């Protein structure tokens, strides 16, 4: 079955010392979903400039439809300066007042959302009212049984309690990392017994916001999945890898997670495969390296 998967939000150029690399969490997610076998689209906005035209060209080359990429006549295509620490961890400085702050609701975007099997969105592209209104409308337009994945992706000062809460109310899947969980725990006053505080916080998030699944990524320490209706946990310890950079690794994890859930794979199998995909991306430069065929084949069995 060919699943319809959408990323909605920012697309930008990550400005690394080695040169610009295509990025933006929803775009990375859609690229990796497509590489793993889904029919993927990105609803976003670029400027009428060289960077924007190159994004459209890249989407075409990667097999992502460019018809859902809006072109803004006044605002520039987004960029983010990326500094890498010694262990390859990425630190972003994100440009403000760019095209993806003005994503508009279109008839085509609504029609695509209504056919979606999964949609992935974050907090960053909701920093301005026009895109926030559009993203929340499109998520709400998806079918009742679709996966609505809030990949929270907290960046700099570009989030608020209100946006996070509204997004969690719309979502049925939450993906976050071990830096973001304490922020949410503080935001929503989630405290638990010290010996199982992380698990308790995840359970309470799932219960409070009626989430089907919560995924916590922990970098080199692997990931923890919680399936709420079965109260089932999956804890996976990742294998070591020589990290080039971590840009896009979390987005590739989310893509593999979504494809595994859509294909109704076992939770432990999903966790292991998502880690392997993210592990490979960490070993390559940039957010959207070509994935080995053997990884994609795991999702077509």
């Amino acid at each position: 079955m060919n699943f319809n998967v959408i990323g909605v939000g920012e697309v930008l150029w990550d400005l690394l010392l080695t040169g610009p690399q295509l990025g933006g969490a929803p775009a990375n997610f859609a690229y990796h979903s497509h590489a793993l076998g889904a029919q993927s689209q990105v609803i976003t906005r670029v400027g009428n400039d060289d960077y924007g035209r190159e994004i459209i060209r890249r989407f075409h080359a990667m097999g992502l439809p460019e018809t859902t990429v809006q072109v803004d006549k006044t605002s520039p295509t987004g960029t983010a300066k990326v500094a890498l620490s010694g262990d390859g961890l990425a630190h972003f400085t994100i440009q403000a007042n760019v095209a993806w702050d003005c994503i508009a609701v279109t008839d085509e975007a609504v029609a695509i959302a209504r056919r979606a099997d999964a949609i992935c969105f974050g907090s960053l592209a909701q920093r301005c009212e026009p895109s926030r209104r559009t993203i929340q409308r499109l998520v709400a337009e998806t079918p009742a049984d679709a996966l609505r994945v809030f990949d929270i992706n907290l960046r700099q000062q570009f989030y608020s309690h209100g946006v996070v809460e509204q997004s969690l109310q719309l979502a049925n899947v939450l993906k976050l990392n071990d830096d973001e969980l304490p922020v949410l725990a503080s935001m929503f006053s989630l405290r638990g017994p010290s010996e199982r505080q992380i698990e308790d916080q995840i359970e309470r998030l799932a219960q409070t916001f009626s989430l089907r699944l919560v995924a916590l990524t922990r970098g080199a320490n692997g990931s923890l999945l919680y399936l709420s209706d079965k109260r089932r946990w999956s804890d996976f310890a990742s294998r070591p890898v020589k990290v080039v950079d971590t840009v896009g690794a979390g987005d590739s994890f989310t893509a593999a997670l979504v494809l595994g859930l859509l294909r109704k794979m076992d939770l432990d199998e999903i966790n292991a495969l998502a880690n392997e995909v993210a592990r490979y991306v960490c070993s390559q430069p940039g957010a959207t390296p070509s994935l080995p065929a053997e990884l994609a084949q795991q999702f077509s069995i």
Side-chain angles (χ1 to χ4, degrees), residues 281-296:
V281 173
C282 284
S283 74
Q284 305 296 309
T288 55
S290 296
L291 296 181
E294 56 266 25
L295 283 177

Side-chain angles (χ1 to χ4, degrees), residues 81-132:
K81 294 181 181 178
V82 184
L84 299 177
S85 57
D87 53 3
L89 292 176
H91 305 276
F92 299 87
T93 303
I94 299 165
Q95 182 185 6
N97 302 313
V98 296
W100 55 257
D101 287 316
C102 305
I103 302 169
V105 174
T106 66
D107 291 343
E108 181 183 14
V110 170
I112 290 168
R114 288 174 176 171
R115 298 193 300 269
D117 295 299
I119 189 168
C120 183
F121 67 108
S123 60
L124 177 57
Q126 296 188 69
R127 65 183 181 178
C128 293
E129 176 61 28
S131 288
R132 178 163 64 249

Side-chain angles (χ1 to χ4, degrees), residues 35-259:
L36 295 173
Q39 180 175 311
S40 302
Q41 299 181 79
V42 189
I43 299 172
T44 188
R45 196 173 182 97
V46 301
N48 184 23
D49 50 30
D50 288 343
Y51 270 157
R53 286 184 282 275
E54 180 61 15
I55 284 173
I56 292 172
R57 190 194 71 78
R58 289 284 187 93
F59 275 17
H60 180 77
M62 293 190 299
L64 298 176
E66 59 266 37
T67 57
T68 55
V69 181
Q70 304 167 12
V71 178
D72 195 294
K73 295 181 180 179
T74 56
S75 299
T77 300
T79 60
K81 294 181 181 178
V82 184
L84 299 177
S85 57
D87 53 3
L89 292 176
H91 305 276
F92 299 87
T93 303
I94 299 165
Q95 182 185 6
N97 302 313
V98 296
W100 55 257
D101 287 316
C102 305
I103 302 169
V105 174
T106 66
D107 291 343
E108 181 183 14
V110 170
I112 290 168
R114 288 174 176 171
R115 298 193 300 269
D117 295 299
I119 189 168
C120 183
F121 67 108
S123 60
L124 177 57
Q126 296 188 69
R127 65 183 181 178
C128 293
E129 176 61 28
S131 288
R132 178 163 64 249
R133 184 170 56 247
T134 296
I135 289 168
Q136 294 189 10
R137 163 78 185 279
L138 294 177
V139 174
E141 290 284 354
T142 58
D145 60 348
L147 297 176
R148 298 176 172 184
V149 184
F150 182 37
D151 187 353
I152 189 167
N153 201 26
L154 301 179
R155 293 284 184 255
Q156 296 170 219
Q157 75 279 15
F158 299 128
Y159 64 91
S160 67
H161 184 288
V163 165
V164 171
E165 186 168 27
Q166 290 164 3
S167 299
L168 285 167
Q169 289 168 346
L170 281 168
N172 52 35
V173 174
L174 169 64
K175 183 260 182 182
L176 72 172
N177 64 35
D178 50 3
D179 290 326
E180 293 162 340
L181 180 58
V183 177
L184 263 66
S186 175
M187 190 178 286
F188 297 108
S189 301
L190 305 175
R191 297 182 179 85
S194 58
E195 66 272 12
R196 63 180 308 273
Q197 181 165 296
I198 289 174
E199 290 88 345
D200 185 72
Q201 290 170 348
I202 288 172
E203 284 183 333
R204 291 183 64 186
L205 281 168
Q207 182 178 20
T208 301
F209 296 103
S210 301
L211 300 169
R212 298 184 198 173
L213 183 137
V214 179
L216 177 71
T217 58
R218 303 174 297 194
N221 295 317
S223 54
L224 184 64
L225 305 184
Y226 176 61
L227 193 61
S228 62
D229 61 343
K230 298 181 179 179
R231 297 180 63 84
R232 184 181 167 194
W233 294 90
S234 175
D235 192 345
F236 187 86
S238 186
R239 296 187 295 122
V241 66
K242 184 177 180 180
V243 175
V244 173
D245 68 58
T246 60
V247 182
D251 308 319
S252 70
F253 181 97
T254 308
L257 172 71
V258 165
L259 265 292

